[in-house]
Amino acid sequence: QKEIPVDPNSFATKSDSTKTTGTTKKPPVFRATKEQIMAAQKMLKEKNFYSGEQNGKLDDATREGLKKYQEANGVKVTGTLNQMTLEKMGVALTDKQKENSKPY
């Protein structure tokens, strides 16, 4: 059997097939529950950062309110309901979120 030469700039080089790849497993993506979103919306509404419905949906209006809240409270402005924002708001994390939480 004849060996086919491989371009050294190719991803399929001979040396690559013998290397072990050190893949690092990413932690699960942090997702807020509907109840957490509703609690956040209620709190944002009380503090006049949000004027929409408490529907448990992370819509554009909720994201805007979150950005305003985050900016006003010294939290990284992401417009998402991440672990740090929930904790700052006093919204309890689920057991699964606590399990997968990372120190910041």
Side-chain angles (χ1 to χ4, degrees):
Q1 207 172 6
K2 196 169 155 185
E3 191 170 321
I4 300 170
V6 178
D7 180 342
N9 297 324
S10 164
F11 288 107
T13 61
K14 191 173 185 177
S15 62
D16 281 349
S17 62
T18 58
K19 274 194 247 171
T20 56
T21 54
T23 55
T24 54
K25 191 176 178 190
K26 286 185 178 181
V29 175
F30 188 92
R31 294 200 193 284
T33 64
K34 183 175 183 172
E35 290 76 22
Q36 288 171 325
I37 295 169
M38 286 175 78
Q41 286 171 328
K42 181 180 183 205
M43 198 255 224
L44 290 170
K45 204 168 193 167
E46 288 168 0
K47 296 192 181 277
N48 296 317
F49 289 117
Y50 174 70
S51 60
E53 289 181 53
Q54 294 173 39
N55 57 11
K57 293 180 182 167
L58 206 50
D59 55 18
D60 290 342
T62 305
R63 289 180 189 279
E64 281 306 308
L66 282 169
K67 285 179 186 176
K68 291 175 192 170
Y69 174 85
Q70 290 165 332
E71 191 172 356
N73 288 277
V75 180
K76 184 178 177 186
V77 179
T78 61
T80 60
L81 210 43
N82 54 30
Q83 178 184 344
M84 193 181 293
T85 304
L86 283 171
E87 288 176 353
K88 186 83 172 177
M89 291 178 143
V91 177
L93 299 178
T94 65
D95 289 340
K96 189 169 186 170
Q97 288 169 336
K98 287 177 193 169
E99 221 174 84
N100 296 323
S101 71
K102 56 184 175 202
Y104 34 84

